[in-house]
Amino acid sequence: MFRVTRRRMAAISLLAAGALVTSACSSEVGAAAVVNGNRIEVSTVHEALADLEDITEGLTQTDVLGLLILEPMWRSVGSERGVGFTDQEVQTMLDSVLAESGEDPQQFSQGSIDVLRADLISSTLLNDPEQQDAVEDIQMRIEEADVDTNPRFGEFSPEQGLTPVTPNWLVDSPPNP
């Protein structure tokens, strides 16, 4: 009886260890990324991509997550420079894009609103005469940020942003002779 209990405990321990090793971000199961302690859920990335894929061309989950990681930083930099967009303003812009393409208005997820907000603020600030100050400020915030990403979405670095990675266990098939 003791051996069975011991084996079961060993199996449970292995399962628990496996879950920790394969979990999203360290111990953050279900997170696509954790930025300065704030979780970005995998579901948020998927919802935003589903919302935006019909009105954007070539948008990937890596693009969506990259913008979601940077959105709070861009929002903060924009706020300090008098540039910002409310959820309702972003929703109105999305509705107008849908109307132009003949689509019916729809309610967009918070993730898709945040993605577009990050894009709008960054575009506005990067087209401003004082863009160099904004660029330096955002670079400093990115370097100081604590970003932990789920490996399936890529690796984040302050220099490169979020870049997709190919797991080292995937091997190309040899060509047929």
Side-chain angles (χ1 to χ4, degrees):
M1 178 106 164
F2 179 73
R3 286 186 169 193
V4 171
T5 304
R6 199 171 181 186
R7 285 184 183 156
R8 284 188 183 160
M9 288 303 292
I12 291 169
S13 296
L14 282 173
L15 286 173
L20 282 174
V21 168
T22 60
S23 69
C25 300
S26 307
S27 62
E28 298 287 340
V29 176
V34 178
V35 182
N36 296 327
N38 298 311
R39 291 170 54 100
I40 300 171
E41 301 294 333
V42 169
S43 60
T44 302
V45 174
H46 291 164
E47 289 169 359
L49 184 59
D51 283 352
L52 298 172
E53 68 185 350
D54 290 338
I55 60 174
T56 58
E57 194 172 313
L59 190 67
T60 67
Q61 68 181 5
T62 301
D63 298 330
V64 169
L65 182 56
L67 285 166
L68 288 171
I69 288 170
L70 297 176
E71 190 270 342
M73 294 173 234
W74 277 116
R75 189 171 5 115
S76 179
V77 170
S79 176
E80 292 168 7
R81 290 169 169 69
V83 174
F85 299 91
T86 66
D87 288 358
Q88 186 56 47
E89 289 172 322
V90 174
Q91 179 69 47
T92 301
M93 288 179 200
L94 287 166
D95 289 343
S96 78
V97 168
L98 288 174
E100 287 176 15
S101 64
E103 302 281 330
D104 292 329
Q106 70 180 53
Q107 186 61 42
F108 286 88
S109 67
Q110 186 63 50
S112 55
I113 288 172
D114 290 342
V115 165
L116 185 57
R117 182 188 352 262
D119 186 55
L120 290 168
I121 292 171
S122 64
S123 295
T124 302
L125 291 175
L126 294 176
N127 288 312
D128 188 83
E130 297 180 19
Q131 77 173 22
Q132 188 58 37
D133 290 338
V135 168
E136 289 172 6
D137 197 2
I138 195 72
Q139 285 175 333
M140 180 188 68
R141 290 170 199 242
I142 292 169
E143 288 170 6
E144 293 174 352
D146 179 21
V147 179
D148 187 18
T149 57
N150 180 325
R152 88 176 207 210
F153 289 94
E155 285 183 4
F156 184 87
S157 72
E159 303 79 28
Q160 299 282 324
L162 185 63
T163 55
V165 294
T166 302
N168 61 4
W169 51 267
L170 290 178
V171 179
D172 288 336
S173 299
N176 289 332

PDB file of all heavy atoms in Angstrom, residues 50-66:
ATOM      1  N   ALA A  50      -9.626  38.244 -33.696  1.00  0.00           N
ATOM      2  CA  ALA A  50     -10.876  37.910 -34.388  1.00  0.00           C
ATOM      3  C   ALA A  50     -11.659  39.166 -34.750  1.00  0.00           C
ATOM      4  O   ALA A  50     -12.226  39.266 -35.849  1.00  0.00           O
ATOM      5  CB  ALA A  50     -11.725  36.983 -33.514  1.00  0.00           C
ATOM      6  N   ASP A  51     -11.693  40.152 -33.836  1.00  0.00           N
ATOM      7  CA  ASP A  51     -12.402  41.413 -34.097  1.00  0.00           C
ATOM      8  C   ASP A  51     -11.776  42.197 -35.241  1.00  0.00           C
ATOM      9  O   ASP A  51     -12.474  42.808 -36.044  1.00  0.00           O
ATOM     10  CB  ASP A  51     -12.382  42.324 -32.859  1.00  0.00           C
ATOM     11  CG  ASP A  51     -13.361  41.914 -31.782  1.00  0.00           C
ATOM     12  OD1 ASP A  51     -14.180  41.000 -32.020  1.00  0.00           O
ATOM     13  OD2 ASP A  51     -13.290  42.504 -30.679  1.00  0.00           O
ATOM     14  N   LEU A  52     -10.449  42.202 -35.298  1.00  0.00           N
ATOM     15  CA  LEU A  52      -9.737  43.113 -36.202  1.00  0.00           C
ATOM     16  C   LEU A  52      -9.287  42.482 -37.519  1.00  0.00           C
ATOM     17  O   LEU A  52      -8.939  43.213 -38.450  1.00  0.00           O
ATOM     18  CB  LEU A  52      -8.519  43.706 -35.481  1.00  0.00           C
ATOM     19  CG  LEU A  52      -8.843  44.551 -34.249  1.00  0.00           C
ATOM     20  CD1 LEU A  52      -7.564  44.910 -33.502  1.00  0.00           C
ATOM     21  CD2 LEU A  52      -9.621  45.787 -34.629  1.00  0.00           C
ATOM     22  N   GLU A  53      -9.306  41.166 -37.625  1.00  0.00           N
ATOM     23  CA  GLU A  53      -8.753  40.539 -38.825  1.00  0.00           C
ATOM     24  C   GLU A  53      -9.524  40.883 -40.095  1.00  0.00           C
ATOM     25  O   GLU A  53      -8.947  40.902 -41.180  1.00  0.00           O
ATOM     26  CB  GLU A  53      -8.610  39.032 -38.651  1.00  0.00           C
ATOM     27  CG  GLU A  53      -9.897  38.263 -38.546  1.00  0.00           C
ATOM     28  CD  GLU A  53      -9.659  36.794 -38.245  1.00  0.00           C
ATOM     29  OE1 GLU A  53      -8.506  36.334 -38.308  1.00  0.00           O
ATOM     30  OE2 GLU A  53     -10.641  36.110 -37.935  1.00  0.00           O
ATOM     31  N   ASP A  54     -10.812  41.204 -39.982  1.00  0.00           N
ATOM     32  CA  ASP A  54     -11.585  41.546 -41.173  1.00  0.00           C
ATOM     33  C   ASP A  54     -11.336  42.974 -41.651  1.00  0.00           C
ATOM     34  O   ASP A  54     -11.602  43.298 -42.805  1.00  0.00           O
ATOM     35  CB  ASP A  54     -13.090  41.357 -40.919  1.00  0.00           C
ATOM     36  CG  ASP A  54     -13.456  39.886 -40.798  1.00  0.00           C
ATOM     37  OD1 ASP A  54     -12.688  39.035 -41.299  1.00  0.00           O
ATOM     38  OD2 ASP A  54     -14.512  39.590 -40.202  1.00  0.00           O
ATOM     39  N   ILE A  55     -10.843  43.843 -40.763  1.00  0.00           N
ATOM     40  CA  ILE A  55     -10.634  45.240 -41.155  1.00  0.00           C
ATOM     41  C   ILE A  55      -9.165  45.617 -41.251  1.00  0.00           C
ATOM     42  O   ILE A  55      -8.829  46.758 -41.542  1.00  0.00           O
ATOM     43  CB  ILE A  55     -11.380  46.214 -40.209  1.00  0.00           C
ATOM     44  CG1 ILE A  55     -10.895  46.074 -38.767  1.00  0.00           C
ATOM     45  CG2 ILE A  55     -12.869  46.028 -40.304  1.00  0.00           C
ATOM     46  CD1 ILE A  55     -11.474  47.089 -37.811  1.00  0.00           C
ATOM     47  N   THR A  56      -8.289  44.659 -40.986  1.00  0.00           N
ATOM     48  CA  THR A  56      -6.848  44.897 -41.140  1.00  0.00           C
ATOM     49  C   THR A  56      -6.272  43.778 -41.990  1.00  0.00           C
ATOM     50  O   THR A  56      -6.782  42.663 -41.996  1.00  0.00           O
ATOM     51  CB  THR A  56      -6.126  44.920 -39.778  1.00  0.00           C
ATOM     52  OG1 THR A  56      -6.354  43.686 -39.123  1.00  0.00           O
ATOM     53  CG2 THR A  56      -6.592  46.064 -38.913  1.00  0.00           C
ATOM     54  N   GLU A  57      -5.212  44.073 -42.671  1.00  0.00           N
ATOM     55  CA  GLU A  57      -4.607  43.077 -43.545  1.00  0.00           C
ATOM     56  C   GLU A  57      -3.318  42.563 -42.929  1.00  0.00           C
ATOM     57  O   GLU A  57      -2.442  43.344 -42.555  1.00  0.00           O
ATOM     58  CB  GLU A  57      -4.318  43.687 -44.913  1.00  0.00           C
ATOM     59  CG  GLU A  57      -4.016  42.658 -45.967  1.00  0.00           C
ATOM     60  CD  GLU A  57      -3.939  43.287 -47.344  1.00  0.00           C
ATOM     61  OE1 GLU A  57      -4.836  44.082 -47.684  1.00  0.00           O
ATOM     62  OE2 GLU A  57      -2.978  42.980 -48.060  1.00  0.00           O
ATOM     63  N   GLY A  58      -3.219  41.248 -42.804  1.00  0.00           N
ATOM     64  CA  GLY A  58      -1.977  40.639 -42.346  1.00  0.00           C
ATOM     65  C   GLY A  58      -1.714  40.740 -40.855  1.00  0.00           C
ATOM     66  O   GLY A  58      -0.597  40.478 -40.415  1.00  0.00           O
ATOM     67  N   LEU A  59      -2.701  41.099 -40.062  1.00  0.00           N
ATOM     68  CA  LEU A  59      -2.521  41.206 -38.615  1.00  0.00           C
ATOM     69  C   LEU A  59      -2.337  39.813 -38.025  1.00  0.00           C
ATOM     70  O   LEU A  59      -3.080  38.891 -38.354  1.00  0.00           O
ATOM     71  CB  LEU A  59      -3.748  41.888 -37.992  1.00  0.00           C
ATOM     72  CG  LEU A  59      -3.637  42.294 -36.534  1.00  0.00           C
ATOM     73  CD1 LEU A  59      -2.599  43.408 -36.372  1.00  0.00           C
ATOM     74  CD2 LEU A  59      -4.993  42.764 -36.018  1.00  0.00           C
ATOM     75  N   THR A  60      -1.331  39.660 -37.168  1.00  0.00           N
ATOM     76  CA  THR A  60      -1.055  38.369 -36.538  1.00  0.00           C
ATOM     77  C   THR A  60      -1.242  38.477 -35.032  1.00  0.00           C
ATOM     78  O   THR A  60      -1.312  39.579 -34.482  1.00  0.00           O
ATOM     79  CB  THR A  60       0.391  37.911 -36.814  1.00  0.00           C
ATOM     80  OG1 THR A  60       1.290  38.809 -36.137  1.00  0.00           O
ATOM     81  CG2 THR A  60       0.700  37.874 -38.300  1.00  0.00           C
ATOM     82  N   GLN A  61      -1.287  37.334 -34.366  1.00  0.00           N
ATOM     83  CA  GLN A  61      -1.406  37.363 -32.915  1.00  0.00           C
ATOM     84  C   GLN A  61      -0.158  37.990 -32.283  1.00  0.00           C
ATOM     85  O   GLN A  61      -0.240  38.615 -31.233  1.00  0.00           O
ATOM     86  CB  GLN A  61      -1.701  35.978 -32.353  1.00  0.00           C
ATOM     87  CG  GLN A  61      -0.616  34.962 -32.473  1.00  0.00           C
ATOM     88  CD  GLN A  61      -1.024  33.614 -31.906  1.00  0.00           C
ATOM     89  OE1 GLN A  61      -2.155  33.404 -31.494  1.00  0.00           O
ATOM     90  NE2 GLN A  61      -0.095  32.684 -31.875  1.00  0.00           N
ATOM     91  N   THR A  62       0.989  37.860 -32.929  1.00  0.00           N
ATOM     92  CA  THR A  62       2.204  38.505 -32.428  1.00  0.00           C
ATOM     93  C   THR A  62       2.055  40.026 -32.498  1.00  0.00           C
ATOM     94  O   THR A  62       2.433  40.730 -31.562  1.00  0.00           O
ATOM     95  CB  THR A  62       3.436  38.046 -33.239  1.00  0.00           C
ATOM     96  OG1 THR A  62       3.547  36.622 -33.134  1.00  0.00           O
ATOM     97  CG2 THR A  62       4.711  38.692 -32.736  1.00  0.00           C
ATOM     98  N   ASP A  63       1.475  40.535 -33.598  1.00  0.00           N
ATOM     99  CA  ASP A  63       1.234  41.974 -33.723  1.00  0.00           C
ATOM    100  C   ASP A  63       0.289  42.454 -32.621  1.00  0.00           C
ATOM    101  O   ASP A  63       0.527  43.485 -31.987  1.00  0.00           O
ATOM    102  CB  ASP A  63       0.594  42.318 -35.079  1.00  0.00           C
ATOM    103  CG  ASP A  63       1.473  41.954 -36.260  1.00  0.00           C
ATOM    104  OD1 ASP A  63       2.711  41.977 -36.125  1.00  0.00           O
ATOM    105  OD2 ASP A  63       0.903  41.632 -37.323  1.00  0.00           O
ATOM    106  N   VAL A  64      -0.796  41.705 -32.433  1.00  0.00           N
ATOM    107  CA  VAL A  64      -1.798  42.082 -31.432  1.00  0.00           C
ATOM    108  C   VAL A  64      -1.177  42.100 -30.046  1.00  0.00           C
ATOM    109  O   VAL A  64      -1.319  43.074 -29.302  1.00  0.00           O
ATOM    110  CB  VAL A  64      -3.016  41.121 -31.481  1.00  0.00           C
ATOM    111  CG1 VAL A  64      -3.930  41.314 -30.282  1.00  0.00           C
ATOM    112  CG2 VAL A  64      -3.790  41.307 -32.782  1.00  0.00           C
ATOM    113  N   LEU A  65      -0.478  41.036 -29.676  1.00  0.00           N
ATOM    114  CA  LEU A  65       0.127  40.985 -28.348  1.00  0.00           C
ATOM    115  C   LEU A  65       1.187  42.069 -28.186  1.00  0.00           C
ATOM    116  O   LEU A  65       1.272  42.702 -27.131  1.00  0.00           O
ATOM    117  CB  LEU A  65       0.726  39.608 -28.061  1.00  0.00           C
ATOM    118  CG  LEU A  65       1.341  39.461 -26.668  1.00  0.00           C
ATOM    119  CD1 LEU A  65       0.340  39.786 -25.567  1.00  0.00           C
ATOM    120  CD2 LEU A  65       1.913  38.056 -26.487  1.00  0.00           C
ATOM    121  N   GLY A  66       1.974  42.319 -29.226  1.00  0.00           N
ATOM    122  CA  GLY A  66       2.982  43.384 -29.147  1.00  0.00           C
ATOM    123  C   GLY A  66       2.349  44.734 -28.835  1.00  0.00           C
ATOM    124  O   GLY A  66       2.849  45.491 -28.002  1.00  0.00           O
TER     125      GLY A  66
END
